[in-house]
Amino acid sequence: MHPTPPIPDKEQIALLDPFERLGLDRIALIHSPAQAEKACEELAASAHWGFDTESKPTFRKDEVSDGPHIVQLATLDKAWVFQLHDATCRAMVAELLALRGVTKAGFGLGDDRKRITAKLGVEPADVLELNTVFRQQGYRKEMGVKGAVAVLFNRRFIKSKKATTSNWANPRLSEAQLMYAANDAWAAIRVFHALGLG
């Protein structure tokens, strides 16, 4: 058995060329039932989705998050960023996540799953934690999206610190937030396919 190559460290990743990103023209922001219905139809064409969620950050020790505030799903061609303010939208996202037979691949999904069950009342089905796949391949450390993109594509995945800690509960998301959220899910589906799982 071949030894697994080491995961590049922060300094090594910083030297790599940036990983390509989905542009705003391929990102759909979903906040109404009509938009959610169209998104469901488009997503139905694919059996594998990149998956992630974002929650408004909590800053106090005893503060409990009422997230997720958005759910992101992506195919190789497009990403959908669902806001969860509307009850019908929430119900449709819950249905998508509970759908059997569709793989929802992402990184660090343990927390996301707990929050989804608490907020949307469903247990997400057929969720694939990509860190587990890397562990099965002999990588010892948590891989995460940055490490995975570096190992598989020899590229640097750009994550904006500012977007990470921004207010995801905001009714109006900024372009930077949309780009950040969509590309997290899109990178996951790219990694899924690059691992030969799709």
Side-chain angles (χ1 to χ4, degrees), residues 118-198:
K119 183 158 185 167
L120 301 179
V122 293
E123 180 62 44
D126 296 327
V127 170
L128 178 67
E129 172 56 66
L130 290 167
N131 279 318
T132 307
V133 179
F134 282 102
R135 226 178 349 268
Q136 286 162 352
Q137 294 189 357
Y139 288 93
R140 295 221 162 13
K141 251 171 54 185
E142 276 285 285
M143 181 63 85
V145 66
K146 285 183 176 177
V149 165
V151 165
L152 294 171
F153 299 100
N154 200 33
R155 288 280 185 270
R156 170 170 52 96
F157 184 72
I158 299 165
K159 253 183 185 292
S160 148
K161 261 256 164 23
K162 201 169 158 222
T164 311
T165 55
S166 61
N167 182 2
W168 294 103
N170 215 332
R172 289 181 71 94
L173 295 179
S174 68
E175 285 188 3
Q177 284 179 307
L178 273 182
M179 288 286 288
Y180 175 99
N183 278 286
D184 256 7
W186 188 64
I189 197 65
R190 290 286 308 273
V191 165
F192 174 85
H193 282 282
L195 287 167
L197 301 167

Side-chain angles (χ1 to χ4, degrees), residues 51-52 104-114 127-129:
F51 166 49
D52 198 16
K104 298 142 196 100
F107 289 94
L109 296 173
D111 248 12
D112 303 61
R113 290 177 75 159
K114 279 201 279 281
V127 170
L128 178 67
E129 172 56 66

Side-chain angles (χ1 to χ4, degrees), residues 84-95:
L84 303 177
H85 303 294
D86 178 90
T88 309
C89 246
R90 275 201 305 279
M92 287 166 101
V93 170
E95 254 175 67

Side-chain angles (χ1 to χ4, degrees), residues 1 6 8-9 20 28 30 33 37-38 56 58 64-65 76-77 80 87 93 116 175 196:
M1 189 163 145
D9 61 28
E20 63 181 303
I30 310 298
E37 206 160 299
K38 187 171 185 287
K56 178 184 171 185
T58 51
V64 177
S65 170
L76 287 174
D77 303 313
W80 293 262
V93 170
I116 281 166
E175 285 188 3

Side-chain angles (χ1 to χ4, degrees), residues 22-23 25-28 42 45-46 48 73-80 186 189-190 193:
L22 266 189
D25 57 326
R26 289 162 68 193
I27 299 168
E42 291 176 335
S46 182
H48 318 288
L73 297 171
T75 63
L76 287 174
D77 303 313
K78 189 172 173 179
W80 293 262
W186 188 64
I189 197 65
R190 290 286 308 273
H193 282 282

